[in-house]
Amino acid sequence: MTNREVGIALLGVGTVGGAVARTIAEQRDVIEARSGIRLVVRRAMARSTERVVQAGLPVEVATTKIEEVIGDDGVDVVVEAMGGEEPAATYMRLALESGKHVVTANKEALSKHFAGLVATARSSGRALLFEASVGGGIPLMASLRQILAVNRITRIRGIVNGTTNYILTQMAERGATYAEALREAQQLGYAEPDPTADVEGYDAAYKLAILASLAAGRHIRPERVDRTGITGVTPEQVAEAGARGGAIKLIAGAELDAEGWRLRVGPEFVPGDHLLAHVRLNYNAMEITGDRVGPVVLYGQGAGPQPTASAIVSDIVDAVRFGAVLTPEIAPE
Amino acid sequence: MTNREVGIALLGVGTVGGAVARTIAEQRDVIEARSGIRLVVRRAMARSTERVVQAGLPVEVATTKIEEVIGDDGVDVVVEAMGGEEPAATYMRLALESGKHVVTANKEALSKHFAGLVATARSSGRALLFEASVGGGIPLMASLRQILAVNRITRIRGIVNGTTNYILTQMAERGATYAEALREAQQLGYAEPDPTADVEGYDAAYKLAILASLAAGRHIRPERVDRTGITGVTPEQVAEAGARGGAIKLIAGAELDAEGWRLRVGPEFVPGDHLLAHVRLNYNAMEITGDRVGPVVLYGQGAGPQPTASAIVSDIVDAVRFGAVLTPEIAPE
């Protein structure tokens, strides 16, 4: 098999972007052996050149201008690893319009602009892939795509935020208060200095909106999620749940009933005979229920640079091999 | 999207083949909406025409001759749902050679003829897909394909046989003896009248050999599995495991060490902090560990006509959409 060279551009060379650069370098033999594709980072957009060099990339690929990325004919796939709604959403649109495939881990930009980005990808005949946006390295999108090909999905439910699950696990297993467990999570780098996005359930709501949109085939915005965080969970509630053989978990759930899709993120009691009760620390698990396959649960590391980069690089390979056919159909709201 | 018509042939119209026919009919709108493909069963090979009619198929599609299947230009995809090593393996080879894609749920034929069948598929430029051969409706192959694109996999471990897991669950939760639990499983249709293939670990060994072959990229035969069944598991061992907070499970495990891949099927103690300890009744769960994604667990109904047919029909759609590129590379032993 002759190895085909594929040009990559990274938008953002922070934790995730840097891990993508290192994964491409360190797993080169695996990637080439499995797919016959040689990935070459041709552009890396970052505020400082230093970051680009720290990620092991040659200084020549560094740029601060989006025009130099989308105008480069040697770039086939743009990896958006900046995070946040803007300018990420605009850059993704520009990249698709200029004929690049786009791979993203950005749950906020995707959940807010899903229908528009998908429409741009489809009209440009390009792939828009986002395996890493929910559940890190867990093959959630690949699984969902397979199940959706044959099943009606009427229920998605699970743990999609590792930070809050880590905090709730420490409360349950060590009797820590919320404040103590949060502080420890921050020291370990599992929680941000400002933990609002995680502990108030925004992160989970973005992810849930993406999954529900895929199941519905229609854009469901994160604002529609009925959202409660974990800041009000007391050690007493956690202890009582444990005494009943179960656990309090931050559950993200979407369900289709006669009135349409209902989306909810909030702390819930999960009984001990359900797998979700046994998802500990910063792990994630999602249960997808199809009318033919029944409940399927996918579990793994929902965050972290290595699992996230693994999912991104796998998406790059899929974008090159299969192209636009993998872009889902998401109707406007 | 114009709907493209795709001709299907069923080899075998028993429990699985019949469920495939019904899934194609009952999920027609889902399949067409998602893929733009209209599946039409054009041939159904069975010993009796009655079975074909019972599956809701028109009597004209019934045949008893493989030549009428492989010689039919209207057949694009052959679904092998006969089970057993032969003539299934030969029929799959003939179908591939005559330019049909092949989809199978047959773990025995596949695990014994993996390299040869894959080579035939590749030289014919056709897809050989087998999602349903391990873990029923669990998207195991789709997930494995994605993880393998970027990761070295050095460990696969889990519960791949629902019958034995049902028996062990009944022993643990109701204090039943092995013989009592087996009898109940037989009454419920979870165990065959002759349960040897399940309870002695042959079924699990076939499935493990398929997964290990995919991870290794090289044919690993089921004869290489160090295999022990569950017939010697006592109520005392099961109770003691429960008292320690864990469970006895029939674990199928493959691990790569300095001397190569080691494959083992046998009853093991699984501690309570591991997800596999909480897989109850006839469910399956596999843990795949990649060097980048870490451990990923996939859980769901590992058998049953509906989940199995769901995986088969999804493979049919993938075969038509993506073709031979999905056929793995498996070097001869």
Side-chain angles (χ1 to χ4, degrees), chain B residues 49 115 263 313:
Chain B
T49 304
L263 280 71
V313 176

Side-chain angles (χ1 to χ4, degrees), chain B:
Chain B
M1 182 150 48
T2 335
N3 283 335
R4 172 174 167 201
E5 218 173 83
V6 169
I8 308 300
L10 302 177
L11 304 185
V13 192
T15 314
V16 171
V20 171
R22 278 186 295 276
T23 300
I24 287 173
E26 291 164 15
Q27 306 293 91
R28 188 174 301 276
D29 56 336
V30 177
I31 298 164
E32 293 188 17
R34 293 281 174 187
S35 64
I37 291 170
R38 175 183 290 263
L39 303 177
V40 182
V41 178
R42 297 231 167 94
R43 296 278 172 181
M45 195 172 110
R47 252 175 253 144
S48 85
T49 304
E50 210 177 312
R51 285 226 161 162
V52 175
V53 175
Q54 275 168 2
L57 295 169
V59 66
E60 314 87 72
V61 307
T63 177
T64 55
K65 299 199 181 71
I66 186 69
E67 294 74 20
E68 292 192 355
V69 173
I70 61 173
D72 186 337
D73 287 344
V75 171
D76 304 293
V77 184
V78 171
V79 175
E80 187 277 303
M82 311 169 65
E85 185 178 358
E86 288 293 357
T90 300
Y91 288 178
M92 286 196 267
R93 182 173 55 76
L94 292 173
L96 290 166
E97 284 172 354
S98 60
K100 321 293 189 200
H101 301 299
V102 168
V103 172
T104 183
N106 189 328
K107 60 239 163 197
E108 182 177 356
L110 194 66
S111 66
K112 292 180 177 171
H113 300 270
F114 209 171
L117 285 170
V118 158
T120 304
R122 296 184 77 89
S123 65
S124 308
R126 290 300 175 272
L128 170 67
L129 301 180
F130 42 84
E131 180 67 77
S133 66
V134 187
I138 306 171
L140 206 45
M141 301 304 164
S143 298
L144 201 52
R145 195 184 299 131
Q146 177 177 312
I147 294 171
L148 278 171
V150 182
N151 290 256
R152 289 173 195 89
I153 292 180
T154 52
R155 195 162 180 263
I156 295 175
R157 189 181 144 76
I159 296 163
V160 290
N161 181 271
T163 305
T164 48
N165 201 59
Y166 184 85
I167 292 171
L168 292 171
T169 305
Q170 293 303 324
M171 290 176 74
E173 298 186 0
R174 299 199 2 240
T177 64
Y178 166 76
E180 288 163 357
L182 170 62
R183 207 172 315 125
E184 195 198 315
Q186 285 171 324
Q187 279 159 5
L188 288 168
Y190 291 161
E192 306 282 334
D194 175 359
T196 311
D198 291 318
V199 300
E200 296 293 359
Y202 289 100
D203 175 86
Y206 296 145
K207 292 168 175 170
L208 182 63
I210 292 170
L211 296 173
S213 296
L214 288 165
R218 188 170 47 78
H219 192 177
I220 300 179
R221 294 183 180 277
E223 297 79 23
R224 278 190 45 193
V225 179
D226 172 8
R227 181 186 45 74
T228 309
I230 62 159
T231 56
V233 176
T234 66
E236 291 70 30
Q237 289 170 325
V238 170
E240 197 217 316
R244 288 166 65 195
I248 302 272
K249 294 292 184 188
L250 184 69
I251 297 295
E255 204 152 352
L256 180 65
D257 65 20
E259 272 143 63
W261 282 89
R262 280 174 205 275
L263 280 71
R264 185 174 181 279
V265 169
E268 282 182 30
F269 173 74
V270 181
D273 63 358
H274 197 288
L275 223 53
L276 293 180
H278 305 283
V279 175
R280 299 169 64 244
L281 303 171
N282 59 338
Y283 279 81
N284 283 192
M286 282 307 282
E287 181 179 69
I288 301 166
T289 306
D291 61 347
R292 294 280 150 167
V293 295
V296 170
V297 177
L298 298 121
Y299 163 96
Q301 291 187 42
Q306 289 213 357
T308 304
S310 174
I312 288 173
V313 176
S314 170
D315 270 355
I316 294 174
V317 171
D318 276 355
V320 174
R321 296 181 91 186
F322 303 116
V325 66
L326 293 184
T327 304
E329 288 194 67
I330 303 288
E333 203 175 9

